[in-house]
Amino acid sequence: MESRITKRKHWLRGLCMLCLVWVGPLVAQTITLNLKDADINALIGTVAEVTGKNFIVDPRVKGKVTVISSRAMDSDEVYQVFLSILKVHGFAAVPSGAVIKVLPDVSAKQDSIPSVGDDAPGRGDEMVTRVVQVDNVAAAQLVPILRPLVPQQGHLAAYPATNVLIMSDRAENVSRLVNIIRRIDKVSDSEIEVIRLEYASAAEVVRILNAISRGEQAKGKGAPGAAETLVADERTNSVLLGGDRAERLRLRAIISHLDTPLERGGNTKVIYLKYAKAVDLVEVLTGVGESQAEEIKGKTKAAATGRDKQLDIQADEATNSLVITAQPALMRSLEIVIRQLDIRRSQVLVDAIIAEVGEGRARELGVQWAVFDLSGTTAPVGGTNFTNTGTSLIDIANGLIAGSIPSVTPGMSFGVGKLGNDGVNFAAVVNALAGDSDVNILSTPSLVTLDNEEAEIIVGQNVPFVTGSFTSTGAAQGSVNPFQTVQREDVGITLKVKPQINEGNSIIMEITQEVSTISDDAQAVDIITNKRNIKTNVLVDDNHVVVLGGLIEDQVRESEQKVPLLGDIPYLGALFRSKSVDRRKVNLMVFLHPVILRNNATADSYTADKYNYIRALQLEKDSEGVPLMSGKGAPHMPDMKQMLELPPPFEQTPAAQDSGRATGFDEDD
């Protein structure tokens, strides 16, 4: 009997499974799910047979499921129930081409979830992604409202650029969220109003309203429809007001109360400047204020009543500020002018290259002779005396007779003769000189100045020049103090530049360039200076080089002294003539290299280059040491980065540490 019952159960089970697969061509496939503690993988296999879908199951998908069904369901209903079972157990089914992947929820949202829209929003508990366009409110404002309605494994984010919401969750929950968004995304009565002020300052009114709003929010009195827009337009002295109608009415009443004329004439403001000098702006602002006063006079009620006509502008140099007293309309105009004038001015770095090359050649040859009698009985027979070469023969003879050695000019001087107080005397001197001189001067002065500001640099000496003197001898005039008047002049290289930066990075420069040197001419009574000067205006682009021009001097000086007729005799005539030739040639070129420094970065770059160059030279000298002092180095500038840093505290300095060790104290004491 038992065997017969067992066979019957197997037969019924087979018939039931047959009904799950195929009921008939004219009858839809149906199944009734009644499971208790069944393995979830067995359920996936059954659903695959019923729906004809292919599944890929993640190894992490495990567990027992229980399903109670009271009626038969078709394949579509079975699949929806299957999705609900996966949701309950923390799993999800994600379509991927011809297969469906069964994954844990934490991994499902990162997989290829299908995107849906209004035409096909998805069904039931299938995982979907939906992009919702928000039209009237900010999408970012909806995120904190909808976040509690999205499960942990879901996703909700806003994209402000296009004002959309991106949601990933079960299709049913996504549809619910979309319905909530549609109800919130309604056109409100918010508008933007432009309220033009007549007496008050728009910026000051906005500051007061913002302070009131912050105070109300701190006390929890802020209305839900508070204004979202509150902006001051200083150009038109207007307030841009946005929000719902009730809030705008309340703020308009406050603005009307604030926009009232002052009871006293004029108002006073202190404006602190950032870049410009207050003293320099007084004259400009006074002229602008007087010209605009007549224009504003007929536009304000205060002017019509004869009040607020006062205009006074004072500069406080200590704080670099302007103290302005004027009527409100004129005050606003002056503030606009001040903002446009108080700007950071560019600077100009000017590198100058001054190159001078000089060359000199000198040749001298002369013969002097004399025959004379110092006894007093006869007169001199004759002689020659030339002044263009060497020392005069007469000066030499007088010095020797007096018993002193006369001074002789540079070169070779050869002489013969007989000098005495009796009889006939004779003397002859031959002077010969050849000289060559070369000069090469290279100077590279540089300076930085503000736009439209003159700068000057002088590299040289301050040389004294005697301009007058007074002496007195003789007792008849009494005691007189002798004196000399001296005037000092700069001798060297002088560079004056006034740059003007134009649009397009071009620079107009007013330039005065002077190069002066002390001459080595020993025949002059006082000091002689060589001076070369250039004064011009040039136009050059930023970071370009311009040549100011060259000063070229080429001179040849020939001097010949001779005895007529005798000096022209071939060969023998050399005894009766003296000749000197002097040739000098000087070339001077001046080059300028301007660079516009518009910001700190550019200025720091050029400063660092020159700073590090000088420091490198000092370090090179320091490495050589100080002669006769072993172990001592030459002073040098610190590293630029180290110089910009704050010094360490006193307790951390080596001097303080040494002092502590010397006294025997330590930190513990």
Side-chain angles (χ1 to χ4, degrees), residues 177-189:
L177 295 176
V178 171
N179 188 29
I180 295 174
I181 294 171
R182 295 288 186 261
R183 300 179 65 179
I184 297 175
D185 188 24
K186 301 292 186 180
V187 179
S188 65
D189 58 351

Side-chain angles (χ1 to χ4, degrees), residues 350-370:
V350 181
D351 289 325
I353 301 177
I354 304 170
E356 180 179 356
V357 179
E359 179 182 2
R361 298 288 185 271
R363 300 291 186 271
E364 296 180 1
L365 179 62
V367 179
Q368 304 177 66
W369 59 269

Side-chain angles (χ1 to χ4, degrees), residues 411-487:
M412 186 190 74
S413 298
F414 176 79
V416 296
K418 174 183 175 298
L419 298 176
N421 293 326
D422 54 344
V424 179
N425 299 274
F426 69 94
V429 176
V430 179
N431 301 108
L433 174 65
D436 296 334
S437 62
D438 293 319
V439 178
N440 186 5
I441 301 175
L442 181 62
S443 179
T444 58
S446 64
L447 70 164
V448 179
T449 181
L450 285 173
D451 182 24
N452 277 318
E453 293 290 341
E454 185 180 77
E456 179 181 7
I457 184 173
I458 300 176
V459 181
Q461 296 177 319
N462 193 256
V463 181
F465 294 86
V466 178
T467 58
S469 64
F470 177 80
T471 60
S472 177
T473 59
Q477 297 180 0
S479 178
V480 179
N481 295 325
F483 66 88
Q484 287 184 333
T485 58
V486 178
Q487 181 178 352

Side-chain angles (χ1 to χ4, degrees), residues 23 32 65 75 94 112 168 175-177 184 228 262 317 328 357 396 466 471 475 483 497 501 540 566 588:
V23 176
T32 303
V65 298
S75 60
V94 180
S112 56
S168 293
S175 298
R176 181 172 69 99
L177 295 176
I184 297 175
E228 299 178 356
L262 298 175
E317 298 187 33
V357 179
I396 297 175
V466 178
T471 60
F483 66 88
V497 178
I501 302 175
V540 60
L566 296 178
L588 176 63

Side-chain angles (χ1 to χ4, degrees), residues 337-356:
V337 175
I338 292 173
R339 284 196 299 270
Q340 296 177 353
L341 294 177
D342 188 24
I343 59 176
R344 181 186 180 95
R345 297 169 61 186
S346 299
Q347 301 181 101
V348 179
L349 169 66
V350 181
D351 289 325
I353 301 177
I354 304 170
E356 180 179 356

